Amino acid sequence: MEPHPSLESLARELAASPPSLGPVRLIGVDGHAGSGKSTFAGRLAELMGAPVLHLDDVASHEELFGWQERLRAQVLEPLGQGRPAHWAPYDWVERRFGPLRVLEPAPVVLMEGVGAGRRALRPHLARLLWMETPRAQSWGRGRNRDGVELSDFWDGWERAERAHFSSDPSRPFADILVRQSGTGYEWSSGTGATAGSHASVTERDGLPRA
């Protein structure tokens, strides 16, 4: 028995979840902006051979959180019927939606972004993961990443994110809480999980801390 189960064990556990959206096991990865969701979801996706839907591609300047109907029509409904989804990613530089992309109804689809665990989406999720990076640390990381030229955007984003999680929190419903550490990732049961269903384990293969 491994003294420190690897991230592969979590990937196997998620892949063994019952389908939640037609034939698809939809795995949500939520957390504050800048909390490391994209990096973590990308690492899981590599291990699982799963596609990743980034909610940043579904949102827009005008609808930072008002994108759920577009997601439902373009992605959730077709995947739930076992059909490919056709969705148009948003270009944050050009401020317009781009050409359609195709998302196949794979056995596992990872959906990462702020609001991935909102109440309208939770019935469609096989599991909800929450990145445990504190809000101030997450936002500071995001601001440093994007530079001073986007400080006005971040001012507006922080107000919008506060309002969103105030009215529609995700963390209380998370099945798994994920923390970054100097050795990779640690995870444990969230309050939304069945008591004792997940053990705390650590990933120790030198993953990037993004």
Side-chain angles (χ1 to χ4, degrees):
M1 180 177 179
E2 292 179 296
H4 298 287
S6 67
L7 197 60
E8 282 84 352
S9 65
L10 178 60
R12 289 193 297 269
E13 179 182 329
L14 296 176
S17 302
S20 58
L21 182 65
V24 175
R25 294 154 184 83
L26 185 63
I27 308 297
V29 181
D30 205 339
H32 299 293
S35 61
K37 299 179 300 299
S38 297
T39 298
F40 181 72
R43 184 73 176 97
L44 274 180
E46 290 178 7
L47 294 172
M48 303 175 78
V52 181
L53 176 67
H54 302 283
L55 291 178
D56 283 352
D57 291 340
V58 180
S60 68
H61 283 91
E62 291 73 29
E63 294 177 316
L64 294 178
F65 290 97
W67 39 257
Q68 65 186 44
E69 284 303 308
R70 180 163 55 252
L71 179 70
R72 178 193 58 79
Q74 294 185 351
V75 177
L76 300 182
E77 286 190 353
L79 291 185
Q81 297 168 6
R83 298 185 290 106
H86 295 81
W87 58 284
Y90 184 71
D91 187 320
W92 289 86
V93 175
E94 298 293 331
R95 291 178 173 259
R96 59 180 175 81
F97 289 96
L100 288 175
R101 294 183 184 175
V102 178
L103 179 62
E104 297 290 341
V108 177
V109 173
L110 295 167
M111 178 176 64
E112 71 84 17
V114 182
R118 67 195 306 173
R119 68 173 61 92
L121 300 183
R122 288 196 295 270
H124 305 297
L125 298 179
R127 291 290 181 89
L128 172 59
L129 283 62
W130 173 268
M131 303 300 294
E132 277 283 81
T133 310
R135 182 173 65 189
Q137 179 182 342
S138 297
W139 288 352
R141 179 189 294 172
R143 283 181 177 271
N144 290 336
R145 176 192 64 203
D146 292 342
V148 294
E149 60 271 17
L150 290 180
S151 60
D152 287 344
F153 172 83
W154 269 96
D155 290 343
W157 172 268
E158 290 180 8
R159 290 191 296 270
E161 186 182 306
R162 284 180 187 271
H164 168 71
F165 281 134
S166 176
S167 63
D168 193 352
S170 297
R171 187 184 183 280
F173 303 95
D175 300 294
I176 299 172
L177 304 178
V178 181
R179 299 172 180 84
Q180 290 180 316
S181 70
T183 55
Y185 295 99
E186 299 177 351
W187 59 95
S188 60
S189 296
T191 54
T194 302
S197 61
H198 306 291
S200 297
V201 289
T202 304
E203 168 66 330
R204 293 181 175 269
D205 61 358
L207 298 180
R209 302 182 63 198

